[in-house]
Amino acid sequence: MTKRAIFILVLLMLMSNLIQAQGGRGADPEPGVPRGLARLRAEHYKNVHYDLAVTLRPGAELLKGSEVIRVTLDGAVDQLVLDWRKMPVKEGQPAPRVWNVEANGRKVTDARETNDHLIIPGSYLKKGVNSVRLNFESPISTSGSAVTRYLDREDKSEYIYTLFVPSDASTAFPCFDQPDLKARFRLSIFAPKEWKVITNVRLLGNDALGKGPLPPELGGTPGSSQIYIQWTFPMTEPISTYLFAFAAGPFHEFRDDTSSFPGSIFVRKSKAERARKELAEVFRLTREGMKFFTGYFDYKFPFEKYDQIVLPEFAYGGMEHAGATFLREESVLFPSDPTANDLINRAELIFHELAHQWFGDLVTMRWFDDLWLKEGFATFMAYKAMEVSMPEHNAWKVFYQKTKPSAYLTDVTKGTTPIWQEISNLSAAKSAYGNIVYRKAPSMLRQAEFYLEPEKFRRAVQVFLKEHAYGNAEWADLVRAFERTSNRKLDEWAAAWVKRRGMPDVRVNWSADNQGRIKSLTLQQRDVLDEGGTWPMRVKLLLAYDEGVPPETLTVTLNGSGETRVGEVTGRRAPRYVFANYEDYGYGRFLLDEESKRAVINRLGSVRDPFLRALLWGALWDSLREAELPPLDYINLAVRLLPEEQDEVTAQSVLARAATSFNRYLSSEEMRRTAPELERLLSERMMKASTPGLRITYFRAFQSVATTAEAREQLKKILRGELKIPGMTLRPRDRFDIVTALLMRGDSDAPALLDKLSAEETSDDARRYAYAAGAARALPEAKKRYFDAYLTDTKLAESWIEASLAPFNSIQQSELTLPYLERALAELPTLKRTRKIFFVNGWLASFLGGQCNERALRSVRGFLDRTPALDRDLRLKVLESVDGLERCVRIRTKYAADSASSPVTINRTK
């Protein structure tokens, strides 16, 4: 075959693939929503409207409805391609279906269902406005479907709600399920009279259908005397299919009478009294956030109302449906007495979802490869709102402690990705969700604001929102707005931050002369992945001196090369230590040089600036993770300094890291000798710390390291009520947490305690807690029963599995769970296909995080070697998760190998 013939053959194959992807003439589109099909539809389909009428019946396994779709076609298409993805049905459950299809008043007898699509031939279509009518049935279930039923066993109430992100609307009704075909939705719902129905817009009206059976055409059954209401809603603003939503059930509604903006909070009936205790703060945060965002964006709230629907066992912390945000119940109505961390987490969630109404809902990314445009901005803006609305907390200190660590955990691994991730088909959109989008992107935006200057950054955001309101945009549109307001060319800057994976390792090299003056100081930037990348960045450099001498700071711009010389400090007094990321504007790993590290360890207790103290604690932790600081040194420092720490967020962060060091990085002998003194510190502080929040924080830390018989007995006394922590109410969640900790440690009394507690606490939440605790039973048969249920029990709610994964994979029981590691890895393709967005991330983090030995590491590496065809997304996720296992083995090998003969010293200040 000649080269010309080969070229023509390849060209024909590419054209054939493109035609197939686009659903062109004579070809069927690929499964899912391929990028080619989406582009074709976005170009030729306009002005989409959906009229949906659905019936919700208690206990029904199917959502029954009718639909009218109106779409304007430009005449360049020869068939209409709707997305209609049929989810696999469980045994005995009726299958989804579409019937009575009409197009432009004609019955469609040859509509085809193929590859997740419903195709209407071009002979039924015309140039201009087209109308399609049809009936549909789709699944309602307790887990695994886009329409979820929740049965509240406390009062037998039933609740139904939708969750269509990223592209699951097409599993509920036929539609064009891509973000850049925004549409107006009109909804009517038939539901029991006792229920409330909430959707994206305010109620237009409702009418009782009267007593007697629901009409058969609406799904009624003979003999029913249930009174139904038809709830009718007006047309929405243009929104993407994943942002359309409804929830129904006997919700209790709370309205904020002090707000000038319409909006309510809805909770299930059985939680109404519990909700009353939290309403004032939730309403305050919502009002404050609304005021701040409206001012910052210089754009009024883009929808007619803003409801917040609090849902039990919701899959995510929240989902920003336009005008109707859904929130996870436990994130709003605390199951335990809250600490400052809990209150901050709730505020971040409320502000994050509210910010989405502008960034995500008003302006939506064109495609899910730009997911960061909404998620990164929502988190960044949440902290800007927190800075104003919660001044008692340093918002950017909290940002450093709660957002950046997760970004760094991923970005140092071979499993990381760029912020912008190419998505060829929306069936793969789940792969875009993770720490890079949610944690690195807002960190990059904080650097961008500092790099460009805050007012220029803000004006660019305002321009971006106004130019793309009720439409779609790409990251390049935002960069152009940045360029216009800053008068700078930003292509290279944007490419480095958005299109390059990984992050810099920034180190300070400095020296002093004999007179104690700085001779030279440079900042060296290295790509942590050794892939040759550099990142343009502005940072604040700190030169710190002994107490009484004010520190010096200066702003430094890291250039495109690997080394930046800071000439302006030459000749200045030599500092005790240098830190290259003061106030945390930079993004990367900022380790202390050896001299600075020694100075910080000796002087950390005298650092009065809470933000700087948190940054220095973080730098020491990074040194530990790089095997440049012994874990025992970190624990020693924590025990010495924590009694004086009054910042709850910092205390929680240091305690969590000390517990990780204790449980994962010490040898058995080191743990045995370290435990008594560490337990004494935590026990003392949980009883005597200055605030209830600190006492609760120490109580939770105490549970995580309670190793000795004495410590476990103290936990049992708390469980029995013989020992009370001042200012803390022991709730069911706390009791189950205690029992879980005892089960993890193999306490002989723990199984009986779990059985007793499970019999006493029978609420829906308690049943989930009990199931999760049971996964910590240190018995081979228990582990097998749980693992088999994860894979085969179709009635087991996903939220129950997620709650039990950490107890199942307790590091103390790694020998019991190691046999399940390879099976857990083998299930990844199935889990990605059948589970919701974040499930695979949590699954891998738990199963790999429960191990710290060479056998487990060989097992994971062997799996990767044996599965070269594993899809790229899953391979990256495994590489991301195995990094923690590799670090654990490396740290233990370096510092714990000779521990039996090494002295263990814990120094405490009295």
Side-chain angles (χ1 to χ4, degrees):
M1 185 179 291
T2 66
K3 290 183 178 180
R4 177 180 174 81
I6 293 173
F7 173 78
I8 292 173
L9 179 60
V10 170
L11 182 61
L12 289 172
M13 291 174 64
L14 291 173
M15 292 177 63
S16 174
N17 289 338
L18 179 61
I19 291 172
Q20 182 180 26
Q22 293 181 339
R25 189 182 303 277
D28 291 335
E30 298 171 2
V33 183
R35 187 68 179 264
L37 171 64
R39 285 173 173 160
L40 181 146
R41 293 194 303 203
E43 181 179 356
H44 300 293
Y45 298 15
K46 306 294 180 185
N47 302 323
V48 181
H49 292 71
Y50 300 97
D51 282 300
L52 289 164
V54 299
T55 302
L56 301 177
R57 293 188 296 112
E61 294 182 299
L62 288 174
L63 178 73
K64 295 178 181 288
S66 62
E67 178 181 17
V68 178
I69 305 168
R70 292 180 178 84
V71 55
T72 299
L73 304 177
D74 64 6
V77 295
D78 61 355
Q79 59 186 11
L80 187 71
V81 181
L82 288 157
D83 304 320
W84 173 237
R85 182 157 53 96
K86 293 183 176 180
M87 299 296 288
V89 296
K90 299 167 185 176
E91 186 176 349
Q93 186 178 25
R97 65 182 181 124
V98 164
W99 75 101
N100 287 344
V101 181
E102 295 180 3
N104 295 321
R106 297 169 55 198
K107 187 173 181 62
V108 180
T109 57
D110 52 350
R112 294 185 298 114
E113 295 184 31
T114 181
N115 290 344
D116 301 335
H117 303 288
L118 174 65
I119 300 176
I120 297 174
S123 59
Y124 297 91
L125 308 175
K126 61 183 180 180
K127 184 176 181 179
V129 179
N130 289 256
S131 175
V132 177
R133 295 176 179 270
L134 54 84
N135 294 89
F136 64 88
E137 292 177 343
S138 56
I140 301 175
S141 64
T142 55
S143 65
S145 68
V147 185
T148 298
R149 171 191 295 107
Y150 178 83
L151 181 63
D152 189 338
R153 287 173 173 79
E154 293 181 45
D155 62 4
K156 308 305 180 187
S157 295
E158 181 175 336
Y159 300 86
I160 294 174
Y161 61 88
T162 61
L163 184 59
F164 294 149
V165 66
S167 58
D168 284 351
S170 55
T171 67
F173 56 91
C175 59
F176 308 117
D177 209 2
Q178 60 189 71
D180 59 345
L181 266 182
K182 287 193 168 183
R184 294 181 182 270
F185 291 80
R186 180 183 286 120
L187 175 68
S188 67
I189 288 184
F190 296 95
K193 181 181 178 182
E194 298 80 15
W195 288 12
K196 284 185 171 66
V197 178
I198 309 102
T199 186
N200 306 87
V201 288
R202 284 185 287 182
L203 182 67
L204 189 63
N206 53 23
D207 298 302
L209 297 181
K211 291 187 177 181
L214 192 67
E217 65 269 20
L218 300 179
T221 54
S224 172
S225 60
Q226 177 76 59
I227 299 176
Y228 278 72
I229 294 287
Q230 181 178 10
W231 299 72
T232 305
F233 298 90
M235 195 75 77
T236 69
E237 296 284 359
I239 57 175
S240 302
T241 46
Y242 80 89
L243 294 170
F244 170 66
F246 60 83
F251 288 101
H252 193 100
E253 179 179 3
F254 297 94
R255 295 180 181 176
D256 184 3
D257 295 330
T258 67
S259 175
S260 60
F261 193 83
S264 298
I265 293 174
F266 295 85
V267 300
R268 53 176 165 144
K269 282 196 308 182
S270 63
K271 291 294 184 180
E273 289 307 310
R274 175 71 187 88
R276 292 183 197 279
K277 300 176 183 178
E278 308 295 342
L279 284 177
E281 179 64 2
V282 175
F283 278 137
R284 183 191 76 83
L285 292 170
T286 305
R287 289 193 307 271
E288 292 286 327
M290 193 76 70
K291 178 182 177 182
F292 174 76
F293 292 137
T294 300
Y296 185 91
F297 295 137
D298 190 28
Y299 198 106
K300 69 176 184 177
F301 186 78
F303 305 101
E304 66 172 20
K305 56 93 178 176
Y306 187 63
D307 291 329
Q308 295 171 93
I309 300 90
V310 180
L311 296 169
E313 300 185 10
F314 188 59
Y316 318 131
M319 179 58 212
E320 70 277 8
H321 307 116
T325 283
F326 291 0
L327 299 169
R328 181 184 291 168
E329 189 176 84
E330 285 198 350
S331 299
V332 179
L333 310 180
F334 300 120
S336 300
D337 287 359
T339 64
N341 282 279
D342 299 320
L343 296 170
I344 288 167
N345 288 341
R346 181 173 65 185
E348 182 193 345
L349 172 63
I350 289 170
F351 291 147
H352 177 105
E353 304 305 337
L354 181 55
H356 267 315
Q357 302 295 306
W358 287 267
F359 256 96
D361 297 6
L362 173 66
V363 179
T364 308
M365 73 272 160
R366 192 173 304 284
W367 194 246
F368 271 85
D369 46 21
D370 270 325
L371 179 66
W372 75 274
L373 266 182
K374 73 183 188 78
E375 296 301 346
F377 254 100
T379 297
F380 176 71
M381 292 307 304
Y383 279 91
K384 290 192 78 67
M386 195 183 305
E387 188 176 21
V388 173
S389 303
M390 303 179 74
E392 66 274 23
H393 302 289
N394 185 322
W396 298 110
K397 177 186 76 68
V398 175
F399 181 85
Y400 167 75
Q401 292 170 305
K402 303 182 79 65
T403 295
K404 282 197 166 180
S406 298
Y408 296 153
L409 278 175
T410 297
D411 226 11
V412 298
T413 76
K414 291 293 185 181
T416 193
T417 66
I419 289 174
W420 184 91
Q421 301 179 47
E422 185 173 6
I423 305 294
S424 61
N425 192 306
L426 287 190
S427 63
K430 293 178 183 178
S431 64
Y433 288 79
N435 286 333
I436 296 304
V437 159
Y438 280 86
R439 304 303 180 189
K440 179 178 181 177
S443 303
M444 179 273 282
L445 290 169
R446 174 155 166 80
Q447 162 61 201
E449 183 185 43
F450 189 58
Y451 189 80
L452 300 174
E453 299 175 7
E455 190 53 38
K456 294 175 182 178
F457 180 93
R458 179 182 179 179
R459 290 205 309 271
V461 169
Q462 293 172 351
V463 167
F464 175 81
L465 288 173
K466 289 170 184 174
E467 289 186 347
H468 301 282
Y470 300 107
N472 300 84
E474 299 175 345
W475 71 281
D477 298 315
L478 180 65
V479 174
R480 298 291 85 81
F482 283 150
E483 289 183 333
R484 285 158 60 185
T485 60
S486 67
N487 293 316
R488 300 171 69 176
K489 193 67 175 171
L490 296 172
D491 286 343
E492 291 185 9
W493 172 87
W497 284 107
V498 179
K499 300 293 288 286
R500 178 181 295 142
R501 75 173 193 159
M503 69 182 197
D505 176 290
V506 180
R507 306 227 180 189
V508 181
N509 289 318
W510 64 284
S511 61
D513 59 23
N514 293 334
Q515 285 73 45
R517 300 289 174 179
I518 295 175
K519 186 163 60 175
S520 68
L521 191 153
T522 60
L523 299 181
Q524 290 189 326
Q525 181 182 163
R526 179 184 66 82
D527 184 345
V528 295
L529 300 178
D530 292 324
E531 295 175 348
T534 59
W535 290 261
M537 181 166 41
R538 291 180 77 201
V539 297
K540 276 192 175 182
L541 181 71
L542 173 76
L543 307 178
Y545 300 93
D546 283 331
E547 199 168 359
V549 180
E552 295 184 35
T553 63
L554 63 157
T555 299
V556 179
T557 299
L558 275 65
N559 54 40
S561 67
E563 183 171 284
T564 301
R565 183 174 179 273
V566 188
E568 54 264 53
V569 302
T570 302
R572 296 190 189 184
R573 179 179 176 180
R576 289 300 181 184
Y577 63 88
V578 180
F579 185 60
N581 193 25
Y582 182 62
E583 294 184 343
D584 192 42
Y585 293 105
Y587 178 84
R589 187 168 62 204
F590 294 87
L591 294 175
L592 296 161
D593 63 89
E594 286 301 318
E595 183 172 342
S596 293
K597 183 164 61 177
R598 287 191 295 271
V600 165
I601 290 173
N602 290 329
R603 292 168 172 79
L604 187 55
S606 63
V607 175
R608 300 299 172 221
D609 178 350
F611 198 171
L612 177 58
R613 195 163 63 247
L615 288 165
L616 296 175
W617 272 116
L620 293 176
W621 177 249
D622 289 340
S623 292
L624 190 158
R625 280 177 40 82
E626 291 302 300
E628 296 179 10
L629 179 72
L632 202 55
D633 285 4
Y634 190 92
I635 297 173
N636 184 33
L637 190 64
V639 170
R640 179 163 59 88
L641 299 183
L642 276 173
E644 304 303 319
E645 182 60 67
Q646 297 302 306
D647 186 300
E648 282 186 37
V649 179
T650 298
Q652 189 275 335
S653 173
V654 175
L655 285 167
R657 289 166 170 175
T660 296
S661 300
F662 178 81
N663 288 315
R664 292 184 62 79
Y665 301 148
L666 300 187
S667 69
S668 298
E669 179 61 19
E670 284 176 320
M671 289 178 68
R672 185 188 68 79
R673 288 184 283 166
T674 303
E677 188 67 9
L678 180 60
E679 290 169 350
R680 276 195 291 274
L681 165 73
L682 302 182
S683 174
E684 174 189 293
R685 302 312 300 160
M686 77 180 181
M687 302 302 294
K688 297 181 180 179
S690 58
T691 66
L694 277 171
R695 293 192 289 273
I696 295 169
T697 298
Y698 279 101
F699 161 67
R700 294 174 183 174
F702 180 70
Q703 290 179 89
S704 67
V705 300
T707 301
T708 65
E710 293 78 8
R712 286 183 280 116
E713 181 57 33
Q714 194 168 8
L715 285 178
K716 294 174 202 175
K717 287 181 179 179
I718 296 172
L719 186 65
R720 294 192 297 263
E722 298 171 8
L723 181 64
K724 297 183 185 296
I725 297 170
M728 174 182 167
T729 303
L730 197 69
R731 303 185 188 278
R733 173 66 176 270
D734 303 313
R735 294 187 175 95
F736 279 105
D737 285 348
I738 290 174
V739 172
T740 302
L742 294 171
L743 285 165
M744 287 178 175
R745 299 291 181 183
D747 188 273
S748 58
D749 295 332
L753 291 173
L754 177 58
D755 293 340
K756 181 176 182 292
L757 186 58
S758 301
E760 294 170 351
E761 301 287 351
T762 58
S763 69
D764 275 9
D765 291 337
R767 291 172 62 250
R768 184 172 75 257
Y769 304 153
Y771 181 82
R777 291 182 188 267
L779 298 170
E781 57 269 27
K783 298 297 184 185
K784 182 179 187 305
R785 184 171 65 253
Y786 269 78
F787 192 84
D788 290 346
Y790 294 160
L791 305 184
T792 62
D793 187 348
T794 58
K795 294 184 179 180
L796 182 59
E798 198 167 287
S799 59
W800 285 38
I801 299 175
E802 290 173 325
S804 66
L805 286 176
F808 180 95
N809 288 289
S810 165
I811 190 69
Q812 291 82 17
Q813 299 171 6
S814 59
E815 289 295 322
L816 279 174
T817 56
L818 181 60
Y820 295 97
L821 180 56
E822 290 199 25
R823 288 181 62 190
L825 293 170
E827 288 295 324
L828 289 175
T830 299
L831 296 174
K832 179 182 176 181
R833 186 175 64 254
T834 60
R835 296 294 182 180
K836 287 191 168 58
I837 289 171
F838 299 106
F839 187 89
V840 167
N841 305 57
W843 178 269
L844 278 169
S846 296
F847 277 95
L848 273 67
Q851 302 295 325
C852 185
N853 57 74
E854 287 282 359
R855 287 179 298 160
L857 193 52
R858 286 196 300 270
S859 181
V860 179
R861 289 171 175 168
F863 168 78
L864 291 172
D865 290 340
R866 293 191 306 274
T867 55
L870 186 69
D871 82 52
R872 178 178 177 273
D873 168 48
L874 289 177
R875 182 170 293 274
L876 287 173
K877 282 181 166 48
V878 174
L879 289 171
E880 175 186 346
S881 291
V882 78
D883 182 81
L885 173 56
E886 290 172 339
R887 288 177 188 274
C888 190
V889 171
R890 184 163 64 249
I891 291 168
R892 286 179 59 87
T893 299
K894 181 172 181 178
Y895 293 115
D898 299 322
S899 59
S901 58
S902 301
V904 177
T905 304
I906 297 282
N907 298 316
R908 289 183 59 194
T909 56
K910 299 297 183 182

